[in-house]
Amino acid sequence: METMASLNHSLSPANIRTLSSNISSGSVSALRLSLPISPAANRRNKLTVVRASIAVEQQVTKKVALIRIGTRGSPLALAQAYETRDKLMATHSELAEEGAIQIVIIKTTGDKILSQPLADIGGKGLFTKEIDEALLNGDIDIAVHSMKDVPTYLPDKTILPCNLPREDVRDAYISLGAASLAELPAGSIVGTASLRRKSQILHRYPSLNVLENFRGNVQTRLKKLNDGVVQATLLALAGLKRLNMTEHVTSILSMDDMLPAVAQGAIGIACRSNDDKMANYLASLNHEETRLAVACERAFLEKLDGSCRTPIAGYASRDEDGNCIFRGLVASPDGTRVIETSRQGPYAFEDMILMGKDAGKELLLKAGPGFFDC
């Protein structure tokens, strides 16, 4: 009777709930019940405990992600993270298992401060700093970035071995009332958070006004447009395509009307420099043509070492003969001065790096002292 009473007490509803909770959470220690039962029953219980322990450990192992992808939380950033995840799953069978890849959302300084223009709060690294820190701290295994947000320098102990195939690099014009920038009435307000776009708009259409602190994700900016805050806006066509929102596009600007930002439309994926496993995963996704073009453009940007207030644009592409064509420009923020250059050469890493640097050096000389100061 004593034994049965003790057993009934140990397996009371409250204790059973506690046991179930602990097992679900992966704790095996809750299985060590002190029950005054016979030796034979005790042996059976020990076997049960061992089996339960194995089952719980297997359950926990299954939940551990093989790759944790760090990303910003905007719809576009998440679309890029999911694109990365899908490519990894399609390329590596072990990553196709449920739970093998985890998306980790990280809020960056650029996401937190929306009340000021990007140039006023630092410009470079605003959308990557916290993600890089999470990577170095081991909270994530790889980091997915829009390459145009990545500073020309990478944090120590990190590498960026992968660029996914580049999307359309052009800018999209969006308006509810005019078919193009040229058709906007004088005094119309165009919203943009980009000094590059502002300077090129004002250079060609000085009668327009530009609302510089037109920030927020794509959905937020389109809402502001619909609410009449501005009469038009420009957005990267690549982002609209990745979000399946191209129905909002009024027209697409040509390269002559709007040279894109360095690395626009390209996704870059970083990992720790000592993590060979992740580096190998990423190498399998790398699109070499994109990587070389981005490297050329970033060499141009690095040579200029422009401040957060310097409008800079650059684009490298492969022509029909397989050569690299590079175009670059710098401008004054008000658009009164725009300086352009171009290069052509072999579509090969070393040659393209030299082209980018040489183009940057030329524009530095043409611009003169003080042009790139904040």
Side-chain angles (χ1 to χ4, degrees):
M1 291 293 292
E2 213 175 289
T3 300
M4 185 57 70
S6 177
L7 178 61
N8 287 337
H9 173 72
S10 297
L11 297 181
S12 65
N15 287 341
I16 290 172
R17 284 195 297 272
T18 301
L19 177 62
S20 299
S21 175
N22 287 333
I23 291 175
S24 297
S25 66
S27 172
V28 182
S29 60
L31 294 170
R32 299 193 185 107
L33 299 174
S34 298
L35 304 179
I37 54 182
S38 68
N42 191 41
R43 285 194 297 273
R44 288 196 299 275
N45 282 338
K46 283 183 178 178
L47 183 59
T48 302
V49 170
V50 171
R51 286 176 177 164
S53 299
I54 294 171
V56 171
E57 287 168 3
Q58 287 175 341
Q59 181 181 3
V60 172
T61 301
K62 187 178 179 181
K63 289 183 179 179
V64 174
L66 298 177
I67 298 182
R68 294 162 299 167
I69 300 176
T71 177
R72 295 168 58 204
S74 71
L76 177 55
L78 287 172
Q80 294 178 165
Y82 287 130
E83 181 179 341
T84 302
R85 180 202 63 182
D86 292 347
K87 289 181 182 297
L88 284 167
M89 292 173 66
T91 310
H92 302 278
S93 58
E94 71 274 20
L95 300 180
E97 299 292 330
E98 184 178 355
I101 300 179
Q102 178 187 359
I103 305 291
V104 180
I105 296 174
I106 300 167
K107 198 146 192 173
T108 68
T109 302
D111 298 310
K112 295 171 186 173
I113 304 175
L114 296 174
S115 58
Q116 298 171 261
L118 290 172
D120 290 349
I121 56 176
K124 295 181 180 180
L126 289 173
F127 296 110
T128 60
K129 181 175 178 288
E130 286 82 359
I131 300 176
D132 290 333
E133 289 173 352
L135 182 61
L136 289 170
N137 292 338
D139 298 323
I140 58 174
D141 301 301
I142 63 174
V144 177
H145 299 300
S146 291
M147 278 304 301
K148 69 177 181 178
D149 294 334
V150 179
T152 52
Y153 56 88
L154 296 177
D156 288 341
K157 300 180 181 179
T158 70
I159 56 173
L160 208 159
C162 174
N163 288 125
L164 298 186
R166 198 173 196 175
E167 249 297 355
D168 196 316
V169 303
R170 293 174 295 173
D171 280 320
Y173 166 81
I174 304 173
S175 176
L176 302 179
S180 66
L181 284 168
E183 294 182 29
L184 282 171
S188 295
I189 301 173
V190 181
T192 179
S194 164
L195 290 176
R196 170 190 63 85
R197 290 179 179 131
K198 175 186 175 181
S199 63
Q200 292 185 76
I201 290 170
L202 293 178
H203 181 66
R204 291 174 175 79
Y205 309 102
S207 66
L208 299 177
N209 294 319
V210 176
L211 177 61
E212 185 178 313
N213 191 30
F214 194 70
R215 295 191 53 207
N217 61 38
V218 171
Q219 290 81 356
T220 299
R221 296 188 209 190
L222 290 177
K223 184 179 185 304
K224 289 179 181 178
L225 175 66
N226 289 328
D227 290 344
V229 177
V230 296
Q231 282 72 61
T233 188
L234 302 185
L235 295 172
L237 182 58
L240 294 168
K241 284 189 172 185
R242 290 186 174 118
L243 290 169
N244 294 314
M245 296 177 66
T246 54
E247 71 274 10
H248 297 283
V249 176
T250 304
S251 62
I252 299 172
L253 278 68
S254 71
M255 292 289 178
D256 292 330
D257 284 336
M258 185 64 59
L259 200 62
V262 164
Q264 182 157 305
I267 296 172
I269 314 175
C271 66
R272 291 179 292 276
S273 55
N274 63 352
D275 194 338
D276 293 340
K277 183 175 182 181
M278 293 301 134
N280 288 333
Y281 276 137
L282 297 185
S284 68
L285 302 188
N286 180 57
H287 186 253
E288 189 64 3
E289 181 174 333
T290 297
R291 187 183 77 88
L292 297 186
V294 168
C296 177
E297 295 164 22
R298 283 166 61 81
F300 168 72
L301 181 61
E302 183 178 22
K303 187 65 179 180
L304 291 171
D305 192 27
S307 77
C308 54
R309 294 183 179 278
T310 307
I312 298 173
Y315 178 52
S317 61
R318 190 193 292 269
D319 67 14
E320 58 186 15
D321 296 321
N323 293 316
C324 174
I325 300 291
F326 174 78
R327 293 179 59 186
L329 71 75
V330 296
S332 57
D334 62 3
T336 55
R337 192 177 179 200
V338 173
I339 310 167
E340 300 184 61
T341 189
S342 63
R343 293 288 185 282
Q344 182 174 356
Y347 207 98
F349 183 79
E350 295 296 338
D351 296 278
M352 292 169 71
I353 294 293
L354 289 175
M355 273 191 280
K357 288 182 177 180
D358 191 56
K361 182 179 179 180
E362 179 191 339
L363 293 190
L364 277 174
L365 292 172
K366 285 184 175 178
F371 190 87
F372 294 91
D373 296 338
C374 275

